[in-house]
Structures are given as structure tokens and as C-alpha cells.
Amino acid sequence: MREPVAAPVAAAPSTLIAPVFAASVVRWQRTHGRSELPWQNTRDPYRVWLSEVMLQQTQVSTVLGYFDRFLLRFPTVAELAAAGEDEVFGLWSGLGYYSRARNMHRCAQEVMVRFGGAFPRRSEDLESLPGIGRSTAAAIAAFCFGERVAILDGNVKRVLTRVLGFGADLSSSASERALWGMATELLPAASERGAIESYTQGLMDLGATVCTPRKPNCLLCPVNDICVARREGAPEAYPVKTRKLKRSSQSLWLLQANDEAGRSWLEKRPARGVWAGLYCLPVFDSHAALLEALSPSLRAIARDGAPFLHVLTHKDLHLHPVQVESDSTAAMPGEGQWLALHEWEGLGLPAPVRKLLEARSHPTPDAA
């Protein structure tokens, strides 16, 4: 596959193709774009904001069920703001990236305090709220208030760098700023009613369904005739980003203790670090540290479970459960509490911990 030629950033062609590009995207979206998703066809900033936060690094198919459950429990930003963090985490459980849920809760509270319960209409003000970056703020402002402002999420970066033949390295903040400038130049004219909404949705749809990371369907693309990457025959070479995220690994030992009533010993994680703020099995850095935290009687009956791998964005967690059947009066490590199935099911739990608890509560015939 031929590598793209990195043209000087100053020689951007975006102003030359802007009118035809915007018109083509708008026309395609209105005919072929997605329109059936529950957060579309609305100008309610609460629903749009909720969907934008959930869709960060998460597929649409996964988000659908969570979106409906959140709206059922928290139909307004006021009700979300008034909720406890544990309940918010409980509903979020399984979506991952829990900092999104934490920031979402804080954002709802700031909307109530700073803006009287109404989301601000300008992207600049939206961006001042917790967890709302420049692209998310622009999406909310464009969809809900018609502001003529550019978005630049991962899908849109891919579409624009391919169409423009933008070969500069997006690991560089200068290159990122240059692409933002081009994205703004490509916006449709302010005179056409509803164009910014269709254009913004169209870019998202193109990136999600046509201009995909691998094997893009260039024949169905409405801007294939002006796409530099297609002309080069190298669409998958864009976007260029040379700085790779460094992966790390960590081994953790989890104390999986159950009492005579079948309850599990859980504690709340610190506000910083892995699984921050979630309810969790007690975590230890070594097998020896876990055993040292147990009383001699519990140490004697502790047995090792099967270790397994849990993959995070930047880290591989090698998890080692250690199982103990305990009397509820026995001294347990940490500041946890015994919780029954109906109590921990609705809490925010790390996905691998929930998996362990559910396997213990609902054993398969082979494991029973």
C-alpha cells in the first residue's frame, strides 16, 4: 500500500472543495444517512449530550440499551444531577471508561447550578462543562441549536484526512489544529436551513458506515470523486498518527469472600487508580499480600481460582481470584461490607468483578 505524501499544511485544499463537499454530504445524509437512532430527530440537548458521552469509544449497538435505561431512570438532567453516584455507576456498569459516568454526573450538577438546569446554547460554553470536549460541544450546539461549528471525532478525522489527503501527523498538536481549521472551512453555508444538522450527522454516518478504518466502501461514498486518498489508492493510510499508545500489564489478586448466607465481601475503591470509585472485591498487588491480610483460620482455607486476563484500553490486567468461604462474624480486610445479590447487582462494578460474582451466584452445572 502506497504511503500518502505529506503535503505542507499551509497548502490546504479545503477552501477549494468546501461548497461541493458540504452539499454532497448533506444530500447523502438526507437520503442514505441514519435517522432511526433514538437520539436523532430531536433538539433536546440532554438526549444528544447523553448519547454523545455514551458513544465515546463505544459502539452504537452497545449504547442502545444503556441509553434507554438511563432515560427511563433519569428522564431529565435535573433527575440525573440529584442521583447518587453509586446509582449512576450501577446503570453505567458494563459500558466501561467509568470516568465518563463520573464526569457526566458532575456535568449534570453543573448544568443545574451554573445554567439553571438548561444546557447552554453555545459550543464555547458547553465545552466548559466536565467531560465535554470540543467535538462533543460542537455536536450538541449544531444538532440542538443550529450553531455553525465543526466536529472532529475519530470518525470525522478519518473522513476528512482521506478526502483532503491530509498527510500530516495527528500526533502533533499543530497538525490537529490545522485539521480543525480545515474542518471549519468545509462547513456548509449558514444560509441553508437545517444544513449544519444534516452535515454534522452525515460526517458521523460516513465514518461509521462507509469510510471505515479498514476496507472502506469507496464506491458508495458521496464524495469519492474529490477524495485524494481514493485517487491515490491508499485510503487506509489515513489518518497518519505515528505516536502509539504504550501498553502495560499488571497482575492483581482479588479476594472473593462469601459468607454462610451467600453474600459477597465488597469495598469501594479509592477515588484514584484502577476502577476508581467502583465497588470491588478487595485488591492486592501480590498473592502473599492477600494471604497476609487474612486471619490464620481464613488463610488456611483460601483456595486459588482460575486466573484470567482482562484487557483495558492501555493495560492488560492479569487477575487472580482467591476464594474464601467465611463466617460473617470473621474479621475481613479493608473497610468493606457483606452484600447480597440483590444489593450488589445494581452497583457500579468492574466488569471482571461482576463476572466473578455472577459465576458464584449462578454457577453452571459443570461448576456446581
Side-chain angles (χ1 to χ4, degrees):
M1 178 178 292
R2 187 157 53 88
E3 293 296 321
V5 177
V9 170
S14 53
T15 52
L16 300 178
I17 68 167
V20 65
F21 177 79
S24 297
V25 172
V26 169
R27 186 165 54 249
W28 176 85
Q29 198 284 324
R30 290 174 176 175
T31 305
H32 302 289
R34 297 177 296 185
S35 60
E36 73 287 352
L37 299 174
W39 47 82
Q40 294 178 317
N41 305 309
T42 179
R43 287 185 175 270
D44 179 0
Y46 176 63
R47 290 173 178 253
V48 172
W49 163 71
L50 187 62
S51 70
E52 287 293 318
V53 173
M54 287 185 169
L55 286 166
Q56 293 167 9
Q57 299 178 298
T58 307
Q59 294 182 343
V60 168
S61 58
T62 301
V63 167
L64 287 170
Y66 284 89
F67 183 79
D68 290 341
R69 286 193 293 274
F70 255 80
L71 282 181
L72 185 64
R73 173 59 188 88
F74 307 122
T76 66
V77 68
E79 288 167 285
L80 176 57
E85 185 178 74
D86 288 343
E87 185 178 10
V88 175
F89 278 172
L91 278 175
W92 191 272
S93 188
L95 266 181
Y97 306 101
Y98 281 84
S99 60
R100 293 183 296 170
R102 186 177 295 107
N103 284 331
M104 185 178 68
H105 193 214
R106 288 177 51 220
C107 179
Q109 293 171 336
E110 288 202 22
V111 167
M112 297 305 298
V113 173
R114 291 173 52 198
F115 298 101
F119 278 84
R121 299 176 64 89
R122 299 190 310 157
S123 57
E124 181 180 355
D125 295 326
L126 286 162
E127 198 176 345
S128 72
L129 290 164
I132 297 185
R134 181 175 177 180
S135 189
T136 298
I140 298 168
F143 286 133
C144 302
F145 308 116
E147 183 178 352
R148 187 176 176 272
V149 61
I151 66 169
L152 200 61
D153 63 11
N155 281 338
V156 176
K157 286 178 183 177
R158 186 166 59 254
V159 172
L160 297 189
T161 55
R162 288 173 175 177
V163 170
L164 298 170
F166 186 86
D169 187 355
L170 290 182
S171 296
S172 160
S173 57
S175 299
E176 182 101 357
R177 286 194 300 271
L179 188 60
W180 270 110
M182 297 177 190
T184 300
E185 291 171 347
L186 288 171
L187 292 172
S191 56
E192 185 184 349
R193 182 177 177 84
I196 189 62
E197 293 91 327
S198 297
Y199 175 80
T200 303
Q201 186 63 56
L203 285 181
M204 293 179 172
D205 292 348
L206 275 177
T209 65
V210 176
C211 195
T212 49
R214 288 172 293 279
K215 297 182 179 179
N217 198 337
C218 296
L219 290 178
L220 296 182
C221 180
V223 291
N224 58 18
D225 56 335
I226 57 173
C227 179
V228 173
R230 180 175 184 260
R231 188 161 63 246
E232 290 178 344
E236 293 183 29
Y238 296 92
V240 176
K241 193 168 186 178
T242 59
R243 187 184 305 148
K244 302 296 183 182
L245 294 174
K246 292 183 178 179
R247 293 196 62 78
S248 61
S249 64
Q250 184 178 8
S251 293
L252 298 174
W253 279 258
L254 306 175
L255 175 61
Q256 188 174 7
N258 293 97
D259 71 2
E260 67 279 5
R263 297 180 300 176
S264 299
W265 181 259
L266 297 173
E267 61 183 15
K268 196 166 187 178
R269 294 285 295 161
R272 304 177 76 84
V274 66
W275 301 326
L278 301 182
Y279 280 85
C280 191
L281 300 173
V283 178
F284 299 87
D285 291 329
S286 70
H287 190 262
L290 185 152
L291 293 179
E292 182 66 24
L294 296 176
S295 65
S297 60
L298 292 179
R299 195 179 308 151
I301 60 173
R303 55 190 177 87
D304 294 341
F308 62 100
L309 174 68
H310 181 65
V311 179
L312 301 176
T313 309
H314 313 314
K315 178 183 288 189
D316 293 333
L317 294 180
H318 299 272
L319 303 178
H320 305 262
V322 176
Q323 299 162 348
V324 170
E325 299 297 328
S326 171
D327 187 289
S328 59
T329 61
M332 301 300 295
E335 300 180 358
Q337 56 186 309
W338 293 109
L339 294 174
L341 171 66
H342 71 274
E343 294 173 306
W344 58 254
E345 269 189 323
L347 296 176
L349 300 168
V353 171
R354 186 176 293 276
K355 176 182 176 181
L356 286 171
L357 293 177
E358 288 177 344
R360 171 64 176 75
S361 300
H362 309 289
T364 61
D366 291 340

